[in-house]
Amino acid sequence: MNQFLKRVELQKCQKLADEIDRVFPLDSNIKKAIASTPREIFVPVGFKHHAYKLDALPISKNQWISSPLTVAKMTQFLEPKGADSVLEIGCGSGYQAAILSKLFRRVFSVERIEKLVWEAKKRFKELNILNINVRYSDGMLGWREFAPYDRILFSASLKNIPQNILEQLNNGGILVAPIEKDGKQIITRFIKNSFTIEKEELDECLFVPTKRGTV
Ligand code: SAH
């Protein structure tokens, strides 16, 4: 991006962060992360003029970039402060991962659609984001190589968290996911202790469902 465009874009990001903050008060570090991430890089060319509205938008392969309000909520519910690593399942456009990259030292994101993986990698390179690792794989398997993670975030909905994913979460770690329940989706936070998993239902939401395998 050239310098002038960059300034204009960052003003729009700041406005977006302010708008989100009015409906869902944000921690200052999360507000800063949103205010410094140009969402328009993550949306298809034809939708650039909608990039700074609070809407979900279509990306390639029938998938969606989540609403920035939802991204903000998921990020805040994850309580990034003090955590070092995060695993995201469902990289999609890469917007959520880009926000996480400003709040965590190491970000790992898994995506099952190959084309989206390449597009997201290209965007991270363009924005000079160096601390996101993207993997083309079925995220329901997690990413064992770098486990355990301090935080895990599902960016696609599911009924139950598989045991193998909970095993990849550190003790004291937090997992946030849109859980399908009674025809609705509820953002649910799981806190892992040595012997138990605490569960908290936080808010309604709308994500695409997780699917198994890769395409
Ligand atoms: N975080 C994304 C949201 C993308 S929508 C963003 O900010 O744009 C959800 C994504 O989850 C889709 O790209 C979909 O392909 C992916 N997904 C669904 N099931 C998956 C699975 N089992 N493993 C990895 N990715 C999955």
Side-chain angles (χ1 to χ4, degrees), residues 76-93:
Q76 190 142 308
F77 292 151
L78 206 53
E79 297 179 11
K81 240 187 199 140
D84 180 75
S85 62
V86 59
L87 171 70
E88 181 193 27
I89 292 150
C91 184
S93 71

Side-chain angles (χ1 to χ4, degrees), residues 1 38-44 48 51-52 93 123 126-127:
M1 260 200 270
R39 189 166 182 260
E40 76 151 73
I41 298 283
F42 296 87
V43 308
K48 298 259 183 240
Y52 297 102
S93 71
R123 293 180 179 122
E126 183 179 348
L127 293 171

Side-chain angles (χ1 to χ4, degrees), residues 16-17 20 26 34 39 50-57 65-75 95-96 99:
L16 177 68
I20 294 171
L26 293 168
I34 292 170
R39 189 166 182 260
H50 290 301
Y52 297 102
K53 296 179 182 163
L54 298 187
D55 300 322
L57 292 171
I65 171 172
S66 312
S67 141
L69 176 59
T70 307
V71 169
K73 286 183 182 176
M74 297 300 272
T75 308
Y95 179 68
Q96 171 76 72
I99 301 285

Side-chain angles (χ1 to χ4, degrees), residues 6-183:
K6 211 168 167 183
R7 239 190 358 257
V8 173
E9 285 325 315
L10 289 178
Q11 280 168 8
K12 289 184 193 165
C13 297
Q14 182 64 55
K15 271 178 86 178
L16 177 68
D18 290 338
E19 193 181 345
I20 294 171
D21 192 37
R22 277 196 291 275
V23 281
F24 181 78
L26 293 168
D27 294 347
S28 64
N29 55 338
I30 295 174
K31 192 171 174 191
K32 245 192 227 157
I34 292 170
S36 59
T37 307
R39 189 166 182 260
E40 76 151 73
I41 298 283
F42 296 87
V43 308
V45 178
F47 287 93
K48 298 259 183 240
H49 56 294
H50 290 301
Y52 297 102
K53 296 179 182 163
L54 298 187
D55 300 322
L57 292 171
I59 51 174
S60 313
K61 299 278 172 191
N62 264 335
Q63 296 303 321
W64 292 78
I65 171 172
S66 312
S67 141
L69 176 59
T70 307
V71 169
K73 286 183 182 176
M74 297 300 272
T75 308
Q76 190 142 308
F77 292 151
L78 206 53
E79 297 179 11
K81 240 187 199 140
D84 180 75
S85 62
V86 59
L87 171 70
E88 181 193 27
I89 292 150
C91 184
S93 71
Y95 179 68
Q96 171 76 72
I99 301 285
L100 295 174
S101 77
K102 312 253 162 91
L103 298 160
F104 290 85
R105 191 169 67 84
R106 297 179 299 146
V107 179
F108 300 87
S109 190
V110 185
E111 173 55 56
R112 65 181 288 276
I113 300 178
E114 191 172 19
K115 183 170 187 277
L116 297 183
V117 171
W118 293 116
E119 288 175 356
K121 281 188 175 174
K122 227 171 83 191
R123 293 180 179 122
F124 299 147
K125 208 166 165 198
E126 183 179 348
L127 293 171
N128 200 24
I129 299 176
L130 303 172
N131 61 337
I132 305 178
N133 300 279
V134 190
R135 183 185 193 190
Y136 169 49
S137 165
D138 181 350
M140 297 300 259
L141 306 171
W143 191 342
R144 280 206 178 268
E145 196 183 344
F146 299 103
Y149 304 95
D150 298 325
R151 303 287 185 267
I152 297 180
L153 176 65
F154 273 87
S155 287
S157 71
L158 72 174
K159 285 207 171 62
N160 297 299
I161 308 297
Q163 188 57 33
N164 66 317
I165 298 283
L166 287 171
E167 283 166 9
Q168 294 180 37
L169 183 64
N170 245 330
N171 269 338
I174 297 177
L175 182 153
V176 172
I179 298 292
E180 298 159 10
K181 191 181 164 187
D182 306 327

